[in-house]
Amino acid sequence: LKDFSNAKGAPAWSPSPRRAMVKSLFNWPKTFNWYSFALYRYKVYDVVWKVSTTAVIGANIYLGVAVVQTWNASVHRTWQHYARKERERAELMEFIRQAREKGTLPPSKVQGFE
């Protein structure tokens, strides 16, 4: 009889390490712990959900504060413009009144206007 063993003494019909690796690649879905995988997957989903909701809530708060600050700055700028305009108008009316009292400016055609 002819000896069909390889150099290491294993019979020629035994699976090689490469064949065993290929077989284990195709066999992993049967031996994999899917319950544990599902638990870890849901833990990851929970973390992703918490991070996402925190980011959305934080962005909404940030945008809300930015809108309020912008609105406040706009109202303040409008008030400053109005106050300056009224101050200049009052100064101009005072100059006109003084000029009319000195006689350098003729009396107004509009009566009873201040």
Side-chain angles (χ1 to χ4, degrees), residues 6-107:
N6 59 16
K8 294 181 180 177
W13 51 267
S14 70
S16 67
R18 183 175 293 166
R19 187 175 294 160
M21 185 177 73
V22 170
K23 186 177 180 184
S24 70
L25 283 177
F26 288 115
N27 198 28
W28 76 267
K30 296 175 188 169
T31 60
F32 189 74
N33 186 350
W34 289 101
Y35 180 74
S36 176
F37 173 74
L39 288 179
Y40 284 118
R41 183 180 62 177
Y42 289 130
K43 285 181 182 180
V44 169
Y45 289 169
D46 287 345
V47 169
V48 169
W49 171 256
K50 287 176 186 173
V51 168
S52 301
T53 53
T54 304
V56 167
I57 291 171
N60 283 332
I61 290 171
Y62 172 78
L63 289 175
V65 169
V67 165
V68 168
Q69 287 178 342
T70 303
W71 181 275
N72 192 23
S74 176
V75 168
H76 184 65
R77 183 181 171 99
T78 303
W79 169 252
Q80 284 180 331
H81 176 71
Y82 170 76
R84 185 177 129 227
K85 188 174 172 182
E86 285 298 312
R87 185 181 65 246
E88 290 174 354
R89 187 189 69 77
E91 290 173 358
L92 181 61
M93 292 298 289
E94 182 64 24
F95 289 143
I96 291 171
R97 186 184 65 74
Q98 290 174 359
R100 287 201 174 126
E101 286 176 356
K102 289 180 185 175
T104 56
L105 194 64

